[in-house]
């Protein structure tokens, strides 16, 4: 065992918690303050950490599997090497925390979740100061055994300094705790204090059958636009003005809190029915719709409001706030500047979406995605000219999940970048394998859809180059499909990237042409090779035999601009005949083949079908 300090200038703190997020938050707070922080997920890891280097302080979570915090503390206090190390317990506000038991097994203090920066530092600093003082006292006592008379005054001085330090720190702690419960900008209660008052209201509702209350969650609409365009000082001034105007709508007994950023919470008590909460929401919307006259600007601001009815069946106050938050997002989805009352069905929908997101994150880690390939047919020869790579999710429980269900979630969470690059690499690797087979047509292409998010990555082009180089494919055989939304987001930046791709001989295809902005000026401005006609237009073409809808015009646009036209969703021979009569260049759809797994593609190429 090595009990030497790794860095003698730093205090060593060991955090024992089975929740990774708690470890990250506490570690971040304490590391920034100059402490050496180590982390353990369970008793065994904690024991190993102590055997390696003895910490100066231990932060210990109560609720852990197998060996809970009380037992871990008991074991630490039973070991002579760790018996004197102070242990601060960590407990969520809603957990059942037996303080008597905690102190009996050797705990010296406790910290409540959610963590408050100032509170954590004060309690940690106090205990480290106390430990330092205790070590000083032990050292002095050892010396006093030899020189009691000569060193008595030193002990008295040390004790006096200790008392002054404890008194000073206690006074500072009280001030910091008061600051920690209020928002520094608006002076309103913050999230921690709001949760505490929600807890009291919930307890009251559980004790008094006729007591009712409601929670309103407010989020400012378009606040980020004002903050970014006019500056943070104006944004802060606006938040203060909003807080003042909200207070004019409330009764003295109501609680208004700033929950963070541009979010506010309101607790209204002693209600008779939900209509009183709705009336307050309507009054707030009416008042906030009036102009805010700031020191230099006049601005308009609205909020979206979620309302949660505070019934006694709620187990924790955080759940009330969660449901009000969910209702607020529903109000935003319905057009903003309005309110919505929480319905339990909304919670189930939110849970399902969260489960899908969590499953999707695991799917990326476990590589649960599969690439299917749908042939693209040259209408001039009737033969296969290439394949489009289509991603599918092989969920371990739900089976094959279609992209329409998980791609929007991947876009929202940013996971689409990882998935996109993986699909591109997999498709290029597969193309390199097929090209070595004699049945593969010369210049067989592979087409891959790209998300708009990828174009904002600074290393996007270098990733493309690396994939092409590693798989040793001809970039002229690679086709990248983009939607109209890609070029609308950052015209100049996107144009530069597309030009770089063009210089590499990579072909660029406008996907779903006709379903977005469809501005011809954009088509002229960007180096495209082909337009892909959306399947919805191909379907209408057969339904409208007289003029075949917009498809002839789209093919004409492509031809006039020197671009090839690719029709999607071809399902009937009649559609194929119509497209040929219009001189469409390429087509794909169920008439030719459904998307195939990679091992079936060679069979199709060997069969060499012709339509």
């Amino acid at each position: 065992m090595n009990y030497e300090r790794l860095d003698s200038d730093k205090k060593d703190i060991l955090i024992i918690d089975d929740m990774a997020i708690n470890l990250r938050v506490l570690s971040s707070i304490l590391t920034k303050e100059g402490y050496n922080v180590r982390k353990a997920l369970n008793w065994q890891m904690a024991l190993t950490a102590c055997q390696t280097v003895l910490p100066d302080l231990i932060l210990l979570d109560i609720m852990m599997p197998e060996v809970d915090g009380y037992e871990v503390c008991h074991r630490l206090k039973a070991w002579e090497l760790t018996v004197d190390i102070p242990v601060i317990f960590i407990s969520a506000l809603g957990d059942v925390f037996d303080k008597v038991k905690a102190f009996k097994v050797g705990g010296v203090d406790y910290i409540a979740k959610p963590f408050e920066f100032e509170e954590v530092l004060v309690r940690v600093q106090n205990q480290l100061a106390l430990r330092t003082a205790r070590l000083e006292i032990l050292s002095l006592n050892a010396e006093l055994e030899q020189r009691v008379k000569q060193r008595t005054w030193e002990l008295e001085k040390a004790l006096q300094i200790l008392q002054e330090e404890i008194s000073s720190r206690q006074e500072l702690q009280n001030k910091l705790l008061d600051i920690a419960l209020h928002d520094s900008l608006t002076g309103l209660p913050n999230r921690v204090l709001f949760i505490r008052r929600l807890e009291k209201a919930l307890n009251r509702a559980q004790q008094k059958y006729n007591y009712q209350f409601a929670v309103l969650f407010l989020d400012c609409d378009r606040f980020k636009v004002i903050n970014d365009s006019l500056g943070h000082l104006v944004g802060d001034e606006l938040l203060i003005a909003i807080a003042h105007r909200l207070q004019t709508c409330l009764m003295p007994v109501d609680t208004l809190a700033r929950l963070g950023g541009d979010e506010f919470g309101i607790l209204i008590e002693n209600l008779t029915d939900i209509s009183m909460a709705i009336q307050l929401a309507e009054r707030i919307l009416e008042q906030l719709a009036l102009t805010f006259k700031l020191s230099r600007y006049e601005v308009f601001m609205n909020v979206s409001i979620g309302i949660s009815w505070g019934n006694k069946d709620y187990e924790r106050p955080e759940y009330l706030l969660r449901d009000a938050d969910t209702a607020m997002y529903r109000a935003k989805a319905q057009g903003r500047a309005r309110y919505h009352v929480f319905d339990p069905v909304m919670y189930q929908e939110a849970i399902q979406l969260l489960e899908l997101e969590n499953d999707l994150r695991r799917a990326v880690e476990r590589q649960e995605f599969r690439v299917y390939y749908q042939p693209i047919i040259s209408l001039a020869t009737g033969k296969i000219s290439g394949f489009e790579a289509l991603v599918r999710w092989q969920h371990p429980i739900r089976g094959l999940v279609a992209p329409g269900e998980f791609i929007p979630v991947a876009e929202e969470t940013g996971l689409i970048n990882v998935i996109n690059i993986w699909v591109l690499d997999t498709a290029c690797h597969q193309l390199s394998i097929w090209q070595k087979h004699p049945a593969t047509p010369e210049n067989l292409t592979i087409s891959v859809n790209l998300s708009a998010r990828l174009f904002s990555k600074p290393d996007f082009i270098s990733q493309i180059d690396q994939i092409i180089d590693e798989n040793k494919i001809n970039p002229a055989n690679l086709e990248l499909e983009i939607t109209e939304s890609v070029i609308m987001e950052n015209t100049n930046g996107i144009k530069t990237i597309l030009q770089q791709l063009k210089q590499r001989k990579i072909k660029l295809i406008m996907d779903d042409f006709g379903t977005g902005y469809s501005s011809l000026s954009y088509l002229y401005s960007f180096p495209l090779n082909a337009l892909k006609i959306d399947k919805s237009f191909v379907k209408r073409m057969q339904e409208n035999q007289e003029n075949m809808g917009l498809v002839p015009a789209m093919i004409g646009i492509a031809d006039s601009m020197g671009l090839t036209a690719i029709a999607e969703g071809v399902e009937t021979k009649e559609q194929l005949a119509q497209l040929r009569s219009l001189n469409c260049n390429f087509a794909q759809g169920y008439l030719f083949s459904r998307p195939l797994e990679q091992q079936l593609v060679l069979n199709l190429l060997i069969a060499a079908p012709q339509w």
Side-chain angles (χ1 to χ4, degrees):
M1 299 181 189
N2 175 25
Y3 297 112
E4 294 296 319
R5 177 71 62 246
L6 296 175
D7 187 346
S8 58
D9 295 331
K10 287 188 175 182
K11 293 295 184 182
D12 189 89
I13 299 176
L14 175 62
I15 306 173
I16 310 172
D17 195 322
D18 65 317
M19 296 293 289
I21 186 172
N22 292 337
L23 292 175
R24 286 197 300 271
V25 170
L26 284 173
S27 177
S28 175
I29 291 173
L30 296 172
T31 301
K32 287 178 181 177
E33 292 301 311
Y35 297 111
N36 182 58
V37 180
R38 293 179 294 145
K39 296 168 277 189
L41 293 167
N42 52 45
W43 156 247
Q44 195 58 46
M45 291 177 64
L47 178 61
T48 302
C50 290
Q51 290 174 335
T52 305
V53 176
L54 285 175
D56 296 296
L57 178 65
I58 295 174
L59 302 184
L60 175 59
D61 188 35
I62 295 291
M63 305 303 291
M64 292 194 299
E66 298 181 3
V67 182
D68 65 14
Y70 301 118
E71 179 59 22
V72 171
C73 186
H74 177 75
R75 294 181 183 182
L76 290 170
K77 295 303 175 181
W79 187 22
E80 62 177 351
L81 292 175
T82 56
V83 65
D84 291 326
I85 297 175
V87 177
I88 299 178
F89 280 100
I90 305 171
S91 171
L93 289 174
D95 290 343
V96 177
F97 179 33
D98 189 340
K99 297 178 184 177
V100 174
K101 183 176 180 180
F103 288 118
K104 277 187 176 180
V105 296
V108 296
D109 205 345
Y110 66 91
I111 297 173
K113 304 175 190 173
F115 303 118
E116 283 298 320
F117 175 83
E118 294 86 354
E119 180 185 3
V120 172
L121 289 183
V122 167
R123 295 188 184 277
V124 167
Q125 290 166 355
N126 275 349
Q127 293 305 324
L128 287 174
L130 288 171
R131 174 169 168 76
T132 300
R134 281 195 293 269
L135 293 175
E136 289 179 4
I137 292 171
L138 288 174
S139 176
L140 289 172
N141 283 336
E143 292 180 17
L144 283 172
E145 290 180 1
Q146 303 298 325
R147 303 170 58 190
V148 175
K149 292 181 180 181
Q150 295 86 345
R151 307 292 288 184
T152 299
W153 68 272
E154 291 183 6
L155 175 59
E156 292 174 348
K157 184 178 180 180
L159 289 173
Q160 181 183 355
I161 293 173
L162 174 60
Q163 292 298 330
E164 291 174 354
E165 180 71 14
I166 292 174
S167 177
S168 174
R169 289 187 180 275
Q170 186 63 50
E171 183 179 351
L172 176 61
Q173 177 180 330
N174 293 336
K175 291 180 180 178
L176 288 176
L177 286 176
D178 183 64
I179 294 173
L181 294 175
H182 289 82
D183 173 50
S184 58
L185 177 66
T186 62
L188 296 175
N190 63 12
R191 181 181 289 267
V192 174
L193 183 53
F194 190 68
I195 290 291
R196 290 182 181 179
R197 293 189 180 176
L198 278 184
E199 186 174 25
K200 290 181 180 178
L202 187 57
N203 291 336
R204 202 173 295 129
Q206 292 168 346
Q207 295 167 4
K208 299 180 179 180
Y209 76 94
N210 61 344
Y211 173 80
Q212 293 180 314
F213 67 100
V215 178
L216 277 64
F217 193 106
L218 290 71
D219 184 270
C220 298
D221 300 328
R222 296 178 56 256
F223 177 79
K224 187 177 186 300
V225 175
I226 294 173
N227 207 37
D228 292 346
S229 59
L230 301 182
H232 293 286
L233 291 178
V234 175
D236 288 348
E237 187 181 359
L238 177 58
L239 287 172
I240 294 170
I242 291 171
H244 288 162
R245 194 170 293 183
L246 288 173
Q247 284 176 316
T248 64
C249 299
L250 304 178
M251 301 292 290
V253 294
D254 299 330
T255 298
L256 170 64
R258 184 185 176 203
L259 303 179
D262 59 344
E263 295 176 341
F264 295 86
I266 298 175
L267 168 63
I268 48 177
E269 304 186 61
N270 299 315
L271 305 180
T272 55
D273 55 56
I274 192 67
S275 64
M276 296 178 67
I278 292 174
Q279 289 171 8
L280 173 60
E282 291 173 341
R283 187 160 65 253
I284 288 172
L285 291 172
E286 180 181 330
Q287 288 297 312
L288 293 186
L290 302 176
T291 309
F292 284 92
K293 296 182 179 180
L294 307 180
S295 57
R296 294 178 57 192
Y297 300 94
E298 287 190 9
V299 298
F300 289 90
M301 174 57 59
N302 267 311
V303 294
S304 297
I305 304 175
I307 303 173
S308 177
W309 184 244
N311 69 72
K312 59 183 177 59
D313 295 329
Y314 277 97
E315 296 178 2
R316 299 178 61 172
E318 291 89 349
Y319 297 164
L320 276 159
L321 199 57
R322 173 202 66 194
D323 290 348
D325 188 14
T326 301
M328 181 275 296
Y329 276 106
R330 182 61 59 90
K332 277 192 180 295
Q334 292 175 344
R336 303 185 179 188
R338 64 188 64 206
Y339 68 85
H340 194 90
V341 180
F342 175 76
D343 185 324
V345 174
M346 295 162 56
Y347 175 66
Q348 295 303 321
E349 292 173 352
I351 289 296
Q352 290 171 5
L353 184 62
L354 181 60
E355 288 176 349
L356 179 63
E357 179 183 336
N358 291 337
D359 286 352
L360 194 57
R361 292 187 185 278
R362 284 190 288 267
V364 172
E365 297 172 1
R366 299 172 183 174
Q367 297 185 344
E368 293 174 357
F369 297 100
R370 305 288 181 268
V371 179
Y372 280 56
Y373 301 89
Q374 187 173 38
I376 300 172
I377 311 303
S378 167
L379 297 189
T381 65
K383 296 181 179 180
I384 296 173
S385 65
F387 288 88
E388 180 180 2
L390 301 167
V391 66
R392 300 290 185 267
W393 177 11
Q394 188 64 48
H395 194 283
I397 298 175
R398 299 170 58 188
L400 207 61
V401 182
E405 188 173 350
F406 70 85
I407 288 297
V409 179
E411 289 276 8
E412 185 178 340
T413 58
L415 293 171
I416 191 66
N417 288 349
V418 178
I419 297 172
N420 241 184
I421 292 297
W422 178 83
V423 171
L424 181 61
D425 185 40
T426 301
C428 289
H429 178 70
Q430 200 58 54
L431 177 62
S432 69
I433 294 175
W434 292 334
Q435 287 177 333
K436 297 173 185 176
H437 197 281
T440 302
E442 188 177 358
N443 293 326
L444 183 76
T445 62
I446 193 74
S447 180
V448 181
N449 292 277
L450 295 186
S451 164
R453 277 180 170 266
L454 269 181
F455 288 84
S456 62
K457 287 174 60 66
D459 61 343
F460 172 56
I461 292 295
S462 63
Q463 284 186 306
I464 296 284
D465 290 339
Q466 182 179 352
I467 289 172
I468 291 173
D469 181 63
E470 289 179 351
N471 291 291
K472 295 179 172 54
I473 66 166
N474 184 349
N477 296 126
L478 176 60
E479 298 178 342
L480 301 179
E481 299 188 16
I482 60 174
T483 60
E484 290 168 288
S485 63
V486 171
I487 60 178
M488 290 295 292
E489 292 192 4
N490 181 3
T491 304
N492 294 328
I494 295 300
K495 185 183 293 186
T496 301
I497 293 175
L498 295 184
Q499 289 290 356
Q500 290 175 321
L501 294 172
K502 189 76 171 181
Q503 290 168 5
R504 288 159 172 75
K505 309 298 182 184
I506 296 172
K507 294 182 177 66
L508 300 170
I509 299 174
M510 174 68 73
D511 194 17
D512 299 334
F513 180 63
T515 61
Y517 298 96
S518 302
S519 172
L520 297 184
S521 63
Y522 281 109
L523 296 183
Y524 277 111
S525 302
F526 293 92
L528 301 172
N529 297 92
L531 301 180
K532 217 166 193 185
I533 302 170
D534 187 71
K535 61 184 178 182
S536 61
F537 296 105
V538 175
K539 183 178 180 181
R540 291 194 199 104
M541 178 180 67
Q542 189 170 349
E543 295 171 352
N544 191 348
Q545 294 286 346
E546 294 182 3
N547 59 22
M548 292 188 284
L550 295 174
V551 174
M554 293 178 174
I555 295 174
I557 290 171
D559 183 57
S560 67
M561 298 181 66
L563 307 177
T564 57
I566 307 168
E568 287 186 300
V570 179
E571 298 183 356
T572 67
K573 292 180 179 179
E574 290 77 13
Q575 290 172 338
L576 176 60
Q578 288 172 320
L579 290 169
R580 275 202 167 108
S581 71
L582 295 171
N583 294 321
C584 184
N585 306 103
F586 299 92
Q588 66 185 99
Y590 286 174
L591 174 64
F592 312 110
S593 173
R594 290 179 176 273
L596 302 171
E597 296 180 73
Q598 55 90 11
Q599 61 266 29
L600 299 178
V601 172
L602 271 180
N603 295 340
L604 184 64
L605 291 174
I606 293 170
Q610 186 168 2
W611 289 273

